[in-house]
Amino acid sequence: MKQRLVIIGAGMASGRVIEHLVEDAPDAFDITLFNAEPRGNYNRIMLSPVLSGEKTYEEIVTHDDAWYAAHSVTCRFGEKVISIDRQMKVVEGENGLVPYDKLIFGTGSNPFIIPLPGHDLEGVIAYRDLEDTQRMMEMGAGNKVVVIGGGLLGLEAAAGMAARGADVTVVHIMGHLMERQLDEAAGYLLKKSLEAKGITIRLQANSKEIVGQDGKVRALVLDDGTELPCDLLVMAVGIRPNVAVAQDAGLAVGKGIHVDDQLCTSDADIFAVGECVEHQGAIFGLVAPLYDQAKVLAKNLLGEEAAFVQKTLSTKLKVTGCDLFSAGDFTDGEGREDIVFRDPSRGVYKRLVIENDRLIGAVMYGDTADGSWFFGLIKDGTDIVDMRDTLIFGPAYQGGDHADPLSAVAALPPEAEICGCNGICKSTITGAIAGGATDLGAIRASTKASASCGTCTGLVEQLLQVTLGDDFVMPTSQPICGCCDLTHEDVRRLIKSQQLKSQEAVWQELGWKTRNGCHVCRPAINFYLLADWPIEYKDDPQSRFVNERKHANIQKDGTFSVVPRMWGGITNPKELRAIADAADKYNVPTVKVTGGQRIDLLGVKGEDLPYIWADLNNAGLVSGHAYSKGLRTVKTCVGTDHCRFGTQDSTGLGIKLEKVLWGAWTPHKVKLAVSGCPRNCAEATCKDVGVICVDSGYQVGVAGAAGMDVKETERLADVATEQEAIDLTVAFIQLYRENAKYLDRPYKWVAKVGLDWVKERVVDDLAERARLIAAFELSQSIYRKDPWAEHAQKAERYQPLADLTLEAAE
Amino acid sequence: MSWIDIGHIDDIPLRGARKLKTALGCIAVFRTNTDEVFAAADRCPHKGGPLSEGIVHGQSITCPLHNWVFDLNTGQAKGEDAQIATYTVRVEGERILIDGADLAARSAA
Ligand SMILES: Cc1cc2nc3c(=O)[nH]c(=O)nc-3n(C[C@H](O)[C@H](O)[C@H](O)COP(=O)(O)OP(=O)(O)OC[C@H]3O[C@@H](n4cnc5c(N)ncnc54)[C@H](O)[C@@H]3O)c2cc1C
Ligand code: HEM
Ligand code: SF4
Ligand code: FES
């Protein structure tokens, strides 16, 4: 008989326990997993990269529904456990009772909220879960945020929101940042790096109260009377183990749930793991020891002997550009000695603390490459008398030979820990390399090293280099993908210079390592080829993502959205009737007005696409390319036709531009707008190309952005006539098509090449401008047409290949 | 084995796929750039993405929703602990045939 195992909390610790159990003894337990959050296990520590935009939530999910299903874990997500009855051995969830033979608490901890007046206002949050993260992701330019707490979490929250453009102030009660992990010197360098990112840091600042307006936070008031206005206030001031349910059940509880070395609580059938436990007086806040606990607990549950031992911990901060490392004990004390090294020009600081000829602590900022070597010396209690003079220079200098950047890694002993998150040491990685893992992906898959927070990636790559020698090529500039060794820029250059006009030519001449690329490189190559050789190369729909191949946007449920073009945002009753009729006929569940001045029909079935297009075509409507890396929309205001401020016919110019540009493929999507006067109702100053009409003519701006980044356009030129405005726009877009890296929006590309470089070609050099316009027109002779009309002819392609429902059922 | 004719090879675009409706749900039939034909479940085990709308490269398919990559020979997802069901198909002349006995056996199970 399988034992019934109930787990409260799907967190990082309990998730590891389940992994060990299903791997070592898939048939031992019937597992039921409760989680208060409405989702399963994700890599909580990676919420910070999600916040800063470096990762998406999907990328940090550890176990998805399919995984739970495959391992027969019964999931009760979004359901809190209210109580347990130890006599009856049942757990009471919000939706009912579940009996257990063994029970695990993995309830983590609760963020501590300082009970300041106003702490319950809307807009005062902690930083713990996805909801908090999403709340912070809404902050951007124009938003003010205050973070209380200058520790690890507070700073990652602050840096993430600053990266999104928010105006962030960190309020910290101590004299330097991260005082538990850093000394003053390192704290200073950290403050400087964060200030360089635009974050305001207030040290020794005591919060007095939070003031609000209409129930929503408005400002934080400090005890010196300073008022810091904010739209969001994040408290990151510490955590408290989540023990309520355990306490109510009468288990022994102190700061956390008391456990012994086997993670067993005061009830022999109940265990606890993770941040909710207290072990020998200590509580936990980093994942490394929790993973150790998880391993020990899994072994014990399977009847093997294992005991949890606390180890020295090391800390890193996951903020790009802030390289810090700390480990062990570095407070001043009698009989302790420091070795310090500074390099002001590089912003490097290192300090080692020595007691009784042993290294007991290390703090580093700016250059943390030797961190794990020092950490190894601390954990092993190595006698350092003999290397004392050169100790601070790291392993590279021990034994005389130095200067090889790789010798540091080469010198690490086999048991040196490389990946702190997963406790992976050097020998495990070199073992994996010997076993055939020859790149980062393979190391991650086989050892988990560098697969959690990723800060040890550089070390793992160096280990590959040291172990494999010339067989491993260190990544210098990033190749497009694993299929080749060349960057986007290299490939674009070679396609032009070697006149490569087909995909096969690219694969062959540029040494592709795969048969025909992958989903990363093939769409890019397809674009480069059609942009450079519009006549010779034929667009390959099978090298496009589904949206561009289907000429509709796929929705998360597999249905599609249909957005007909409305030239310059102008429509008429006939078009509107056709749209309304189509919405009725194809049962379109959602009809939405887009931000691009047109109408979106959402939720159309794939099979219906060709028919709805045909109907729309009949009313004169064509594809709006709302799905393409190409011209999306030209927003306009009503201009001289109706507005008393209008200086030129902005609507007319918008329509002309849209008619010239539509259908063209570009490296990324392109959005335009034309406003009739500087009041700028069409919001032209944040577009890829935005024209503002003035009495004397037209101001053409380029390289604006209003997405993850918000950026005002830069002035390309002021021109007198409408034709010149159109010419400049076309020449600019063609230059972008010819030179930009696939998936770089114009503002990213202009930032790389410089506006002056663009002006020289588009504005100053009239011959080049004419060439660009001619090249664009040549390409448009192929691409300026309605893809819907074409695809409506191929309706059968949108139907199933065959229907075997009857045959197979016989 | 009982082979069922499901269509002409050119009914599927080169490096493309088409859906096949069966009692087991939709099956995606893929054609690689060297005219090999594979069949596998159309539903991505990640979040249900329609694999027949993905990008075919080599003998692999990339899901259109979040880029999971599956080996069409085995159905194994690259770097993920997941697998899709694969079905036996073959090309005879220019016709694509699927193993009906296999389908029937699986739908009975
Ligand atoms: C933004 C952020 C960044 C971090 N960065 C790092 C880092 O870089 N390095 C590092 O080592 N650590 C980091 N940490 C800490 C690390 O995430 C935690 O130590 C770890 O997640 C704790 O794991 P756990 O399993 O104990 O608890 P959790 O992962 O918190 O899981 C507990 C789960 O239990 C659920 N739960 C609680 N009560 C109940 C109930 N009654 N019924 C049902 N479910 C319940 C909760 O909803 C929660 O999902 C970070 C933490 C955060 C928030
Ligand atoms: C899968 C992702 C996305 C989908 C499906 C999507 C879809 C759409 C659609 C259908 C429209 C209507 C536009 C039109 O009428 O053509 C739109 C508008 C818009 N999108 Fe997106 N979009 C996506 C990603 C993004 C991203 C990443 C950004 C920012 C970089 C962005 C910024 C905008 C803006 C600013 C508008 C309004 C356009 C305007 O006012 O001119 N979208 N989006
Ligand atoms: S931008 Fe100027 S011209 Fe256009 S609608 Fe606004 S006020 Fe009128
Ligand atoms: S649904 Fe296929 S990768 Fe997400």
Side-chain angles (χ1 to χ4, degrees):
Chain A
M1 241 293 269
K2 279 191 180 186
Q3 291 214 70
R4 290 165 303 188
L5 175 64
V6 175
I7 302 177
I8 312 178
M12 300 198 59
S14 65
R16 258 311 152 88
V17 176
I18 302 177
E19 279 179 20
H20 288 306
L21 290 179
V22 299
E23 194 164 306
D24 295 339
D27 298 321
F29 294 101
D30 250 334
I31 302 177
T32 301
L33 180 60
F34 281 92
N35 202 23
E37 285 183 65
R39 59 184 70 86
N41 188 230
Y42 59 94
N43 192 346
R44 191 178 301 284
I45 73 179
M46 295 310 262
L47 285 175
S48 295
V50 170
L51 173 59
S52 65
E54 290 160 74
K55 284 213 181 297
T56 62
Y57 171 70
E58 282 71 27
E59 290 176 87
I60 71 165
V61 171
T62 325
H63 301 150
D64 60 14
D65 294 351
W67 190 90
Y68 288 120
H71 296 103
S72 310
V73 175
T74 308
C75 299
R76 299 183 61 149
F77 296 156
E79 179 175 0
K80 228 173 144 151
V81 168
I82 303 163
S83 67
I84 55 174
D85 183 333
R86 291 163 51 201
Q87 239 68 55
M88 305 293 295
K89 298 186 84 172
V90 289
V91 169
E92 184 190 1
E94 287 165 322
N95 301 334
L97 302 174
V98 180
Y100 68 84
D101 298 313
K102 302 276 181 218
L103 177 65
I104 299 177
F105 275 91
T107 47
S109 48
N110 293 321
F112 181 63
I113 298 284
I114 315 170
L116 294 174
H119 69 272
D120 45 6
L121 285 166
E122 216 283 303
V124 178
I125 62 168
Y127 186 16
R128 181 75 193 170
D129 56 22
L130 182 63
E131 277 71 22
D132 298 331
T133 311
Q134 285 168 337
R135 204 50 219 281
M136 289 190 262
M137 287 166 74
E138 292 163 18
M139 294 294 114
N143 289 119
K144 287 191 172 5
V145 185
V146 170
V147 177
I148 304 183
L152 194 90
L153 271 192
L155 296 181
E156 291 188 359
M161 286 183 284
R164 291 182 175 273
D167 179 354
V168 184
T169 303
V170 175
V171 172
H172 192 49
I173 195 163
M174 305 301 285
H176 69 267
L177 295 173
M178 291 182 66
E179 74 283 350
R180 289 195 303 157
Q181 292 93 3
L182 298 183
D183 60 9
E184 291 85 347
Y188 159 81
L189 286 170
L190 175 60
K191 176 163 177 276
K192 218 169 111 178
S193 312
L194 292 169
E195 284 170 343
K197 292 179 186 291
I199 301 171
T200 309
I201 312 257
R202 285 177 164 266
L203 298 173
Q204 288 172 310
N206 227 329
S207 306
K208 192 169 111 201
E209 67 167 320
I210 306 168
V211 290
Q213 199 167 6
D214 307 329
K216 201 183 163 322
V217 63
R218 183 175 63 76
L220 175 71
V221 182
L222 303 181
D223 63 0
D224 64 2
T226 317
E227 233 192 69
L228 303 171
C230 56
D231 306 314
L232 187 71
L233 188 141
V234 182
M235 274 204 213
V237 292
I239 50 174
R240 299 281 179 276
N242 186 351
V243 300
V245 175
Q247 195 157 31
D248 290 347
L251 293 175
V253 166
K255 283 179 283 183
I257 305 171
H258 283 297
V259 293
D260 61 15
D261 292 350
Q262 278 67 45
L263 286 315
C264 187
T265 66
S266 55
D267 179 326
D269 288 323
I270 304 185
F271 302 82
V273 66
E275 280 184 350
C276 60
V277 313
E278 177 179 338
H279 175 256
Q280 294 179 0
I283 55 174
F284 305 85
L286 293 171
V287 292
L290 308 189
Y291 286 167
D292 287 347
Q293 291 177 358
K295 197 184 273 178
V296 170
L297 175 51
K299 284 217 161 99
N300 281 312
L301 285 170
L302 296 174
E304 295 166 44
E305 296 237 327
F308 172 61
V309 193
Q310 292 180 29
K311 293 187 197 145
T312 316
L313 295 178
S314 65
T315 313
K316 287 188 178 182
L317 181 72
K318 301 187 298 299
V319 173
T320 314
C322 299
D323 254 343
L324 66 82
F325 177 88
S326 97
D329 183 352
F330 44 84
T331 48
D332 293 323
E334 205 157 325
R336 291 187 178 176
E337 257 182 280
D338 282 345
I339 303 177
V340 173
F341 169 84
R342 290 177 203 266
D343 181 345
S345 64
R346 290 191 300 142
V348 170
Y349 167 79
K350 301 183 188 183
R351 173 165 157 247
L352 303 178
V353 183
I354 294 168
E355 192 177 28
N356 298 331
D357 295 331
R358 305 268 188 285
L359 187 63
I360 61 162
V363 195
M364 293 192 265
Y365 196 88
D367 172 5
T368 55
D370 297 332
S372 52
W373 187 67
F374 290 130
F375 189 32
L377 296 180
I378 295 172
K379 281 205 292 195
D380 301 345
T382 312
D383 187 325
I384 50 92
V385 167
D386 290 337
M387 44 184 170
R388 185 174 186 123
D389 292 344
T390 53
L391 188 64
I392 192 102
F393 300 113
Y397 284 78
Q398 312 312 318
D401 60 336
H402 48 82
D404 178 355
L406 291 172
S407 58
V409 168
L412 287 174
E415 65 278 5
E417 191 178 75
I418 301 289
C419 171
C421 291
N422 291 293
I424 306 298
C425 64
K426 178 178 168 182
S427 61
T428 310
I429 297 171
T430 47
I433 298 172
T438 54
D439 61 25
L440 193 60
I443 298 281
R444 285 185 180 152
S446 54
T447 69
K448 283 204 162 74
S450 134
S452 287
C453 84
T455 47
C456 62
T457 302
L459 283 181
V460 175
E461 282 172 345
Q462 291 190 31
L463 267 180
L464 280 160
Q465 169 93 79
V466 167
T467 317
L468 298 175
D470 292 340
D471 289 341
F472 179 75
V473 183
M474 278 290 267
T476 39
S477 45
Q478 208 57 41
I480 297 181
C481 63
C483 297
C484 68
D485 296 325
L486 299 164
T487 64
H488 280 272
E489 288 74 14
D490 295 341
V491 169
R492 279 219 93 162
R493 212 174 38 244
L494 292 168
I495 286 177
K496 289 188 181 68
S497 70
Q498 295 189 226
Q499 308 236 337
L500 306 176
K501 299 184 181 178
S502 67
Q503 290 193 6
E504 282 313 323
V506 172
W507 311 147
Q508 180 62 35
E509 304 305 330
L510 304 185
W512 241 251
K513 293 177 239 169
T514 47
R515 212 159 86 179
N516 48 6
C518 69
H519 63 274
V520 177
C521 59
R522 219 166 74 207
I525 301 304
N526 182 53
F527 169 74
Y528 295 153
L529 287 167
L530 74 85
D532 285 336
W533 315 109
I535 306 296
E536 295 93 329
Y537 178 77
K538 195 166 163 303
D539 178 38
D540 173 28
Q542 302 311 135
S543 299
R544 295 191 168 278
F545 292 112
V546 53
N547 291 351
E548 296 188 334
R549 182 158 15 92
K550 283 262 166 155
H551 295 279
N553 282 324
I554 194 165
Q555 313 291 313
K556 64 178 187 189
D557 62 355
T559 64
F560 292 85
S561 78
V562 171
V563 187
R565 199 168 279 287
M566 285 181 178
W567 307 96
I570 295 288
T571 182
N572 57 44
K574 179 173 166 239
E575 288 181 353
L576 290 173
R577 265 188 213 103
I579 291 173
D581 288 343
D584 274 341
K585 182 166 164 189
Y586 300 100
N587 291 319
V588 173
T590 307
V591 181
K592 181 173 187 321
V593 173
T594 74
Q597 299 188 337
R598 47 215 198 147
I599 294 174
D600 191 349
L601 302 169
L602 294 121
V604 180
K605 287 192 270 317
E607 290 97 293
D608 287 341
L609 286 173
Y611 303 109
I612 194 169
W613 292 336
D615 287 1
L616 294 169
N617 279 163
N618 282 340
L621 289 158
V622 298
S623 166
H625 295 90
Y627 45 79
S628 78
K629 319 240 177 297
L631 176 77
R632 294 289 178 88
T633 65
V634 182
K635 275 174 88 165
T636 66
C637 73
V638 292
T640 40
D641 275 356
H642 300 276
C643 176
R644 65 199 158 107
F645 297 115
T647 61
Q648 311 281 354
D649 178 12
S650 48
T651 319
L653 174 54
I655 294 173
K656 281 182 194 147
L657 283 170
E658 193 160 352
K659 295 235 163 175
V660 173
L661 297 170
W662 78 295
W665 297 106
T666 41
H668 206 312
K669 57 189 173 185
V670 170
K671 297 178 181 175
L672 272 67
V674 185
S675 286
C677 82
R679 285 169 195 76
N680 192 14
C681 292
E683 295 160 346
T685 46
C686 59
K687 294 289 182 268
D688 298 300
V689 180
V691 180
I692 309 271
C693 303
V694 289
D695 283 324
S696 58
Y698 305 82
Q699 302 174 334
V700 182
V702 295
M708 297 263 271
D709 295 318
V710 178
K711 183 178 163 292
E712 198 181 333
T713 47
E714 296 171 61
R715 188 70 56 82
L716 185 64
D718 292 352
V719 293
T721 66
E722 195 177 76
Q723 189 56 48
E724 281 175 285
I726 295 172
D727 285 354
L728 285 188
T729 304
V730 169
F732 173 78
I733 287 178
Q734 178 63 14
L735 194 66
Y736 167 59
R737 284 166 37 89
E738 288 179 4
N739 291 284
K741 169 180 157 210
Y742 188 64
L743 298 185
D744 263 358
R745 287 289 288 268
Y747 76 99
K748 293 221 162 133
W749 166 66
V750 171
K752 287 180 189 166
V753 298
L755 186 64
D756 287 339
W757 183 88
V758 174
K759 277 185 181 167
E760 271 167 36
R761 283 155 185 80
V762 173
V763 184
D764 305 336
D765 182 342
L766 295 179
E768 174 68 358
R769 189 198 298 179
R771 185 198 67 76
L772 287 165
I773 294 171
F776 186 75
E777 272 308 314
L778 179 69
S779 169
Q780 283 295 73
S781 66
I782 313 280
Y783 291 105
R784 194 186 282 135
K785 58 170 194 260
D786 179 22
W788 287 357
E790 213 172 303
H791 282 246
Q793 306 303 316
K794 301 186 264 183
E796 75 289 347
R797 287 266 157 155
Y798 285 75
Q799 314 311 318
L801 178 60
D803 188 342
L804 301 183
T805 3
L806 298 172
E807 272 160 279
E810 276 162 15
Chain B
M1 292 222 178
S2 69
W3 293 101
I4 307 174
D5 185 326
I6 52 174
H8 191 275
I9 179 114
D10 288 335
D11 290 341
I12 307 179
L14 200 60
R15 279 170 273 120
R18 290 282 295 276
K19 273 188 195 124
L20 182 67
K21 279 203 174 159
T22 75
L24 295 164
C26 278
I27 292 179
V29 187
F30 303 92
R31 175 182 177 195
T32 70
N33 73 323
T34 50
D35 280 341
E36 301 145 318
V37 173
F38 293 95
D42 189 34
R43 222 184 115 75
C44 176
H46 178 217
K47 297 210 170 149
L51 295 174
S52 55
E53 309 286 7
I55 288 185
V56 179
H57 49 100
Q59 297 184 329
S60 302
I61 175 73
T62 295
C63 176
L65 292 197
H66 316 94
N67 293 334
W68 280 23
V69 178
F70 298 87
D71 182 332
L72 292 172
N73 293 295
T74 60
Q76 179 61 44
K78 206 169 133 190
E80 304 288 345
D81 190 4
Q83 199 173 13
I84 47 173
T86 55
Y87 300 89
T88 316
V89 273
R90 68 188 173 95
V91 181
E92 201 173 279
E94 307 203 307
R95 305 301 302 178
I96 306 170
L97 308 174
I98 191 161
D99 181 356
D102 180 27
L103 284 183
R106 290 208 226 175
S107 58

